[in-house]
Amino acid sequence: MEGDFLQAIGDVYYYQVKMEEALSIYKKALKIYRKTLGPESAKVGYALTSIGSALKEQGKCEKAMEKYEEALAMRRDALGAEHPVVAETLYYMAICKEKSGDHGGAVECVREAHRIFTVSGLL
């Protein structure tokens, strides 16, 4: 539960565009999730995605992609490859790839996200 509270506080900082503060809190949440829920839990993937998003907002797309890729693998393992949360992660990766100039990679991620959303009945 402490990790969830920290995650929510990090989100407040994120929406206030205070990325350093958000990153600091997200990293604390990540540490707690890993310790209490195990390194492969879906919440670890959630925290990694949040860290990636804050890094992306800082223009650190390479570091953000590392977090997104780690989160994607965990979310696929924990929730299944067709889960909408997996599609969400792919969407965030597409934004980062686009910002980095990898237009082809961005299109691939968006197509896969769209496929998952369609299969899951959300589109």
Side-chain angles (χ1 to χ4, degrees):
M1 185 176 287
E2 182 180 358
D4 295 339
F5 288 123
L6 287 172
Q7 187 71 35
I9 292 167
D11 290 344
V12 170
Y13 283 128
Y14 180 90
Y15 293 118
Q16 292 176 342
V17 194
K18 296 179 179 178
M19 294 307 147
E20 284 301 322
E21 292 89 341
L23 275 170
S24 175
I25 297 296
Y26 288 149
K27 288 176 182 178
K28 289 177 184 176
L30 175 63
K31 185 176 180 179
I32 289 169
Y33 287 145
R34 282 185 169 150
K35 182 178 178 181
T36 59
L37 302 175
E40 304 297 320
S41 80
K43 291 212 177 186
V44 168
Y46 180 59
L48 286 166
T49 299
S50 297
I51 291 168
S53 293
L55 290 166
K56 175 181 58 70
E57 291 302 316
Q58 291 180 321
K60 299 175 182 175
C61 284
E62 188 175 317
K63 288 183 179 183
M65 282 302 297
E66 291 172 10
K67 299 302 179 186
Y68 286 147
E69 288 168 1
E70 189 177 351
L72 181 65
M74 285 185 175
R75 286 176 158 189
R76 280 181 170 151
D77 288 344
L79 304 170
E82 305 296 318
H83 195 281
V85 169
V86 170
E88 176 187 63
T89 306
L90 286 162
Y91 175 75
Y92 294 144
M93 291 173 72
I95 294 170
C96 210
K97 286 177 181 268
E98 182 65 28
K99 282 187 171 194
S100 298
D102 181 4
H103 307 296
V107 169
E108 286 178 33
C109 286
V110 168
R111 283 186 177 150
E112 181 63 11
H114 182 266
R115 186 193 66 73
I116 293 168
F117 279 130
T118 301
V119 168
S120 66
L122 295 174
L123 289 181

